[in-house]
Amino acid sequence: MSSITPQKVAASPQSIRKVAIASLTGTALEWYDFFLYGTASALVFGPLFFPGASALAGTLASFGTFAVGFAARPLGGIVFGHFGDRLGRKPMLVITLLIMGFTTFLIGALPTYAQIGVWAPILLVLLRVLQGIAVGGEWGGSVLMITEHAPPGRRGFYSAWSQVGINLGFITSAGAFAAVQTLSDEAFLSWGWRIPFLLGAIPALVGLVIRLKIEETPEFQAPQHEGNRERLPILHALRTHPRSILIAAGARMAENGGSYVFLVFSLAYGTHIGVDSGLLLTGIIVANVVEAASMVGFGALSDRIGRRPVYMAGAATLVIIAFPFFWLVDTGTPALVWLAFVIALGIGHGAMIGTQPSFFTELFGASSRYSAISLGHELASVFAGGLSPLIATALLAATGSSWPISFYLVGLGCITLVAVYCARETVQRDAPPTPAQQLQPAHTHE
């Protein structure tokens, strides 16, 4: 493979803004579907699909199916990463959105255990696997669609907008559940919970139209990149960037694991201690609104001072808030509950996830970037986000207290701090590249 590659093809400001809006909108619609499952796991799937057990046991089983979706995400990252590196970023984003919308609609139409017995949880798991595959292929393509269009020196700022779509997805999904929870308990458990899932087909179609109109990234379209496309990008990534893949996975432990404790497990925790789930959902929505703004600010800050210090500050915040978060939630006081979520998500999580797209993109060369970034990102999803609500619920069931969960959060934060500390600063990659540098990774010592 030739080591001489072209300079990045410049995209116009209008083109960048168009891609940023399209990526944000499509990501929001897809993550709306994905987050619905997490909220439903905490609130309704236990009694409807795993009856006959205690409340916590049913929640544990429900969170088990939630984790299955995360176990499927690396498969989606590998499959869509392969074709994304071979055929382009755009077609993969269209396919993942279609899969997500279709499976979400089917979950809303799924019969419960009382109607079809054991087939209900089996079908639920199968649909969750398809969701996991879709979202596993979504993140890398959505991020690269912006970062590979972004101008030198602004990659952190522009790429953070792709993450805002995740917040909007959660805000709309939490809002949808908050709305249907105003129904009577009988109506909510009978048919109300299905409404947000059935409506998921509509935003999926809207997102499809938007994504069909965006252009392929300049880096992927460059003739020299076309000539350097790897036959098996995932093997090339594993062979040339193993350290960077592990760094990316480690960097996600606090970001991904912590976020699902705050976003998903907190709802089950609130039910356990008698705090109204509507109050918690409102707190989550407020925190996501704050984070939608903060992550763009943190992305821009990383353009100025570097990716590592911003990312590590976010992980350190998670460690600091691990115990106070539950103390504040225990009060049941709205202002204090909201403060807990704003610090944990708006500051700690926002600093990490706002910096993540540019940081991870700069770890890898373009020839296998989709595969590499997806694998590193989704490996952590299995061990962090997928298992964190399950682990947190098990710890709560075993001890009846929040302190073991706080120690678990501290452990996740320390893993991320070590991983990012071991990485080189990558922000200098935003300087105008030379032809020989363009497709080379930031870590050449691997």
PDB file of all heavy atoms in Angstrom, residues 214-232:
ATOM      1  N   ILE A 214     -27.489  13.680   2.000  1.00  0.00           N
ATOM      2  CA  ILE A 214     -26.146  14.136   2.326  1.00  0.00           C
ATOM      3  C   ILE A 214     -25.119  13.488   1.402  1.00  0.00           C
ATOM      4  O   ILE A 214     -25.358  12.443   0.800  1.00  0.00           O
ATOM      5  CB  ILE A 214     -25.788  13.840   3.799  1.00  0.00           C
ATOM      6  CG1 ILE A 214     -25.869  12.339   4.093  1.00  0.00           C
ATOM      7  CG2 ILE A 214     -26.684  14.618   4.728  1.00  0.00           C
ATOM      8  CD1 ILE A 214     -25.466  11.979   5.506  1.00  0.00           C
ATOM      9  N   GLU A 215     -23.950  14.138   1.288  1.00  0.00           N
ATOM     10  CA  GLU A 215     -22.892  13.656   0.410  1.00  0.00           C
ATOM     11  C   GLU A 215     -21.913  12.771   1.180  1.00  0.00           C
ATOM     12  O   GLU A 215     -21.758  12.890   2.389  1.00  0.00           O
ATOM     13  CB  GLU A 215     -22.137  14.845  -0.193  1.00  0.00           C
ATOM     14  CG  GLU A 215     -23.001  15.768  -1.039  1.00  0.00           C
ATOM     15  CD  GLU A 215     -22.219  16.971  -1.539  1.00  0.00           C
ATOM     16  OE1 GLU A 215     -21.031  17.097  -1.156  1.00  0.00           O
ATOM     17  OE2 GLU A 215     -22.793  17.776  -2.283  1.00  0.00           O
ATOM     18  N   GLU A 216     -21.247  11.903   0.441  1.00  0.00           N
ATOM     19  CA  GLU A 216     -20.188  11.079   1.021  1.00  0.00           C
ATOM     20  C   GLU A 216     -19.038  11.981   1.469  1.00  0.00           C
ATOM     21  O   GLU A 216     -18.872  13.085   0.970  1.00  0.00           O
ATOM     22  CB  GLU A 216     -19.706  10.052  -0.005  1.00  0.00           C
ATOM     23  CG  GLU A 216     -18.735   9.015   0.521  1.00  0.00           C
ATOM     24  CD  GLU A 216     -19.286   8.257   1.723  1.00  0.00           C
ATOM     25  OE1 GLU A 216     -20.110   7.358   1.531  1.00  0.00           O
ATOM     26  OE2 GLU A 216     -18.867   8.602   2.850  1.00  0.00           O
ATOM     27  N   THR A 217     -18.232  11.523   2.441  1.00  0.00           N
ATOM     28  CA  THR A 217     -17.165  12.367   2.976  1.00  0.00           C
ATOM     29  C   THR A 217     -16.043  12.568   1.955  1.00  0.00           C
ATOM     30  O   THR A 217     -15.758  11.668   1.154  1.00  0.00           O
ATOM     31  CB  THR A 217     -16.559  11.760   4.256  1.00  0.00           C
ATOM     32  OG1 THR A 217     -15.794  10.597   3.917  1.00  0.00           O
ATOM     33  CG2 THR A 217     -17.640  11.379   5.241  1.00  0.00           C
ATOM     34  N   PRO A 218     -15.387  13.749   1.984  1.00  0.00           N
ATOM     35  CA  PRO A 218     -14.290  14.015   1.046  1.00  0.00           C
ATOM     36  C   PRO A 218     -13.146  13.023   1.172  1.00  0.00           C
ATOM     37  O   PRO A 218     -12.574  12.616   0.163  1.00  0.00           O
ATOM     38  CB  PRO A 218     -13.840  15.432   1.429  1.00  0.00           C
ATOM     39  CG  PRO A 218     -15.033  16.057   2.072  1.00  0.00           C
ATOM     40  CD  PRO A 218     -15.712  14.938   2.797  1.00  0.00           C
ATOM     41  N   GLU A 219     -12.804  12.628   2.402  1.00  0.00           N
ATOM     42  CA  GLU A 219     -11.689  11.700   2.579  1.00  0.00           C
ATOM     43  C   GLU A 219     -11.979  10.355   1.951  1.00  0.00           C
ATOM     44  O   GLU A 219     -11.097   9.734   1.357  1.00  0.00           O
ATOM     45  CB  GLU A 219     -11.362  11.532   4.064  1.00  0.00           C
ATOM     46  CG  GLU A 219     -10.641  12.721   4.670  1.00  0.00           C
ATOM     47  CD  GLU A 219     -10.146  12.433   6.075  1.00  0.00           C
ATOM     48  OE1 GLU A 219      -9.664  11.306   6.314  1.00  0.00           O
ATOM     49  OE2 GLU A 219     -10.243  13.328   6.928  1.00  0.00           O
ATOM     50  N   PHE A 220     -13.218   9.877   2.083  1.00  0.00           N
ATOM     51  CA  PHE A 220     -13.535   8.578   1.486  1.00  0.00           C
ATOM     52  C   PHE A 220     -13.546   8.664  -0.034  1.00  0.00           C
ATOM     53  O   PHE A 220     -13.176   7.715  -0.718  1.00  0.00           O
ATOM     54  CB  PHE A 220     -14.895   8.081   1.977  1.00  0.00           C
ATOM     55  CG  PHE A 220     -15.225   6.702   1.453  1.00  0.00           C
ATOM     56  CD1 PHE A 220     -14.730   5.580   2.082  1.00  0.00           C
ATOM     57  CD2 PHE A 220     -16.012   6.548   0.315  1.00  0.00           C
ATOM     58  CE1 PHE A 220     -15.008   4.307   1.591  1.00  0.00           C
ATOM     59  CE2 PHE A 220     -16.301   5.274  -0.180  1.00  0.00           C
ATOM     60  CZ  PHE A 220     -15.798   4.153   0.468  1.00  0.00           C
ATOM     61  N   GLN A 221     -13.970   9.809  -0.581  1.00  0.00           N
ATOM     62  CA  GLN A 221     -14.054   9.953  -2.039  1.00  0.00           C
ATOM     63  C   GLN A 221     -12.712  10.239  -2.690  1.00  0.00           C
ATOM     64  O   GLN A 221     -12.600  10.154  -3.913  1.00  0.00           O
ATOM     65  CB  GLN A 221     -15.022  11.093  -2.381  1.00  0.00           C
ATOM     66  CG  GLN A 221     -16.461  10.818  -2.002  1.00  0.00           C
ATOM     67  CD  GLN A 221     -17.385  11.935  -2.435  1.00  0.00           C
ATOM     68  OE1 GLN A 221     -17.914  11.928  -3.548  1.00  0.00           O
ATOM     69  NE2 GLN A 221     -17.565  12.918  -1.574  1.00  0.00           N
ATOM     70  N   ALA A 222     -11.682  10.586  -1.903  1.00  0.00           N
ATOM     71  CA  ALA A 222     -10.384  10.908  -2.498  1.00  0.00           C
ATOM     72  C   ALA A 222      -9.869   9.733  -3.308  1.00  0.00           C
ATOM     73  O   ALA A 222      -9.890   8.597  -2.840  1.00  0.00           O
ATOM     74  CB  ALA A 222      -9.396  11.266  -1.393  1.00  0.00           C
ATOM     75  N   PRO A 223      -9.409   9.971  -4.552  1.00  0.00           N
ATOM     76  CA  PRO A 223      -8.940   8.867  -5.400  1.00  0.00           C
ATOM     77  C   PRO A 223      -7.851   8.030  -4.743  1.00  0.00           C
ATOM     78  O   PRO A 223      -7.843   6.804  -4.876  1.00  0.00           O
ATOM     79  CB  PRO A 223      -8.424   9.586  -6.647  1.00  0.00           C
ATOM     80  CG  PRO A 223      -9.155  10.889  -6.671  1.00  0.00           C
ATOM     81  CD  PRO A 223      -9.353  11.260  -5.239  1.00  0.00           C
ATOM     82  N   GLN A 224      -6.939   8.677  -4.004  1.00  0.00           N
ATOM     83  CA  GLN A 224      -5.861   7.924  -3.394  1.00  0.00           C
ATOM     84  C   GLN A 224      -6.376   7.019  -2.280  1.00  0.00           C
ATOM     85  O   GLN A 224      -5.840   5.937  -2.052  1.00  0.00           O
ATOM     86  CB  GLN A 224      -4.796   8.880  -2.842  1.00  0.00           C
ATOM     87  CG  GLN A 224      -3.968   9.547  -3.917  1.00  0.00           C
ATOM     88  CD  GLN A 224      -4.663  10.778  -4.501  1.00  0.00           C
ATOM     89  OE1 GLN A 224      -5.855  11.000  -4.270  1.00  0.00           O
ATOM     90  NE2 GLN A 224      -3.917  11.559  -5.256  1.00  0.00           N
ATOM     91  N   HIS A 225      -7.415   7.476  -1.571  1.00  0.00           N
ATOM     92  CA  HIS A 225      -8.020   6.614  -0.557  1.00  0.00           C
ATOM     93  C   HIS A 225      -8.684   5.422  -1.234  1.00  0.00           C
ATOM     94  O   HIS A 225      -8.602   4.287  -0.769  1.00  0.00           O
ATOM     95  CB  HIS A 225      -9.051   7.391   0.269  1.00  0.00           C
ATOM     96  CG  HIS A 225      -9.762   6.543   1.286  1.00  0.00           C
ATOM     97  ND1 HIS A 225     -11.037   6.797   1.707  1.00  0.00           N
ATOM     98  CD2 HIS A 225      -9.381   5.422   1.959  1.00  0.00           C
ATOM     99  CE1 HIS A 225     -11.410   5.886   2.588  1.00  0.00           C
ATOM    100  NE2 HIS A 225     -10.420   5.045   2.757  1.00  0.00           N
ATOM    101  N   GLU A 226      -9.332   5.659  -2.347  1.00  0.00           N
ATOM    102  CA  GLU A 226      -9.984   4.570  -3.084  1.00  0.00           C
ATOM    103  C   GLU A 226      -8.974   3.502  -3.471  1.00  0.00           C
ATOM    104  O   GLU A 226      -9.249   2.313  -3.423  1.00  0.00           O
ATOM    105  CB  GLU A 226     -10.682   5.139  -4.318  1.00  0.00           C
ATOM    106  CG  GLU A 226     -11.480   4.101  -5.099  1.00  0.00           C
ATOM    107  CD  GLU A 226     -12.268   4.727  -6.232  1.00  0.00           C
ATOM    108  OE1 GLU A 226     -12.469   5.955  -6.208  1.00  0.00           O
ATOM    109  OE2 GLU A 226     -12.683   3.975  -7.128  1.00  0.00           O
ATOM    110  N   GLY A 227      -7.779   3.943  -3.841  1.00  0.00           N
ATOM    111  CA  GLY A 227      -6.754   2.986  -4.224  1.00  0.00           C
ATOM    112  C   GLY A 227      -6.136   2.269  -3.043  1.00  0.00           C
ATOM    113  O   GLY A 227      -5.456   1.255  -3.218  1.00  0.00           O
ATOM    114  N   ASN A 228      -6.340   2.778  -1.829  1.00  0.00           N
ATOM    115  CA  ASN A 228      -5.750   2.180  -0.639  1.00  0.00           C
ATOM    116  C   ASN A 228      -6.772   1.481   0.244  1.00  0.00           C
ATOM    117  O   ASN A 228      -6.490   1.223   1.411  1.00  0.00           O
ATOM    118  CB  ASN A 228      -5.036   3.264   0.188  1.00  0.00           C
ATOM    119  CG  ASN A 228      -3.700   3.642  -0.403  1.00  0.00           C
ATOM    120  OD1 ASN A 228      -2.897   2.771  -0.716  1.00  0.00           O
ATOM    121  ND2 ASN A 228      -3.465   4.930  -0.582  1.00  0.00           N
ATOM    122  N   ARG A 229      -7.948   1.188  -0.252  1.00  0.00           N
ATOM    123  CA  ARG A 229      -8.958   0.527   0.558  1.00  0.00           C
ATOM    124  C   ARG A 229      -8.544  -0.911   0.863  1.00  0.00           C
ATOM    125  O   ARG A 229      -8.158  -1.663  -0.025  1.00  0.00           O
ATOM    126  CB  ARG A 229     -10.317   0.555  -0.145  1.00  0.00           C
ATOM    127  CG  ARG A 229     -10.894   1.959  -0.224  1.00  0.00           C
ATOM    128  CD  ARG A 229     -12.194   2.020  -0.993  1.00  0.00           C
ATOM    129  NE  ARG A 229     -12.538   3.415  -1.256  1.00  0.00           N
ATOM    130  CZ  ARG A 229     -13.515   3.797  -2.084  1.00  0.00           C
ATOM    131  NH1 ARG A 229     -14.247   2.894  -2.711  1.00  0.00           N
ATOM    132  NH2 ARG A 229     -13.773   5.069  -2.255  1.00  0.00           N
ATOM    133  N   GLU A 230      -8.652  -1.242   2.138  1.00  0.00           N
ATOM    134  CA  GLU A 230      -8.248  -2.565   2.578  1.00  0.00           C
ATOM    135  C   GLU A 230      -9.320  -3.598   2.225  1.00  0.00           C
ATOM    136  O   GLU A 230     -10.515  -3.323   2.292  1.00  0.00           O
ATOM    137  CB  GLU A 230      -8.022  -2.560   4.094  1.00  0.00           C
ATOM    138  CG  GLU A 230      -6.940  -1.608   4.567  1.00  0.00           C
ATOM    139  CD  GLU A 230      -5.562  -2.046   4.118  1.00  0.00           C
ATOM    140  OE1 GLU A 230      -5.365  -3.255   3.888  1.00  0.00           O
ATOM    141  OE2 GLU A 230      -4.673  -1.165   4.016  1.00  0.00           O
ATOM    142  N   ARG A 231      -8.863  -4.805   1.891  1.00  0.00           N
ATOM    143  CA  ARG A 231      -9.813  -5.865   1.565  1.00  0.00           C
ATOM    144  C   ARG A 231     -10.573  -6.295   2.816  1.00  0.00           C
ATOM    145  O   ARG A 231     -11.774  -6.568   2.772  1.00  0.00           O
ATOM    146  CB  ARG A 231      -9.080  -7.060   0.958  1.00  0.00           C
ATOM    147  CG  ARG A 231     -10.011  -8.140   0.403  1.00  0.00           C
ATOM    148  CD  ARG A 231      -9.223  -9.192  -0.350  1.00  0.00           C
ATOM    149  NE  ARG A 231      -8.376  -9.954   0.554  1.00  0.00           N
ATOM    150  CZ  ARG A 231      -8.784 -11.045   1.216  1.00  0.00           C
ATOM    151  NH1 ARG A 231     -10.025 -11.483   1.066  1.00  0.00           N
ATOM    152  NH2 ARG A 231      -7.959 -11.699   2.003  1.00  0.00           N
ATOM    153  N   LEU A 232      -9.878  -6.380   3.959  1.00  0.00           N
ATOM    154  CA  LEU A 232     -10.506  -6.709   5.240  1.00  0.00           C
ATOM    155  C   LEU A 232     -10.115  -5.631   6.247  1.00  0.00           C
ATOM    156  O   LEU A 232      -9.140  -5.780   6.995  1.00  0.00           O
ATOM    157  CB  LEU A 232     -10.054  -8.093   5.724  1.00  0.00           C
ATOM    158  CG  LEU A 232     -10.521  -9.280   4.880  1.00  0.00           C
ATOM    159  CD1 LEU A 232      -9.863 -10.572   5.364  1.00  0.00           C
ATOM    160  CD2 LEU A 232     -12.038  -9.416   4.930  1.00  0.00           C
TER     161      LEU A 232
END
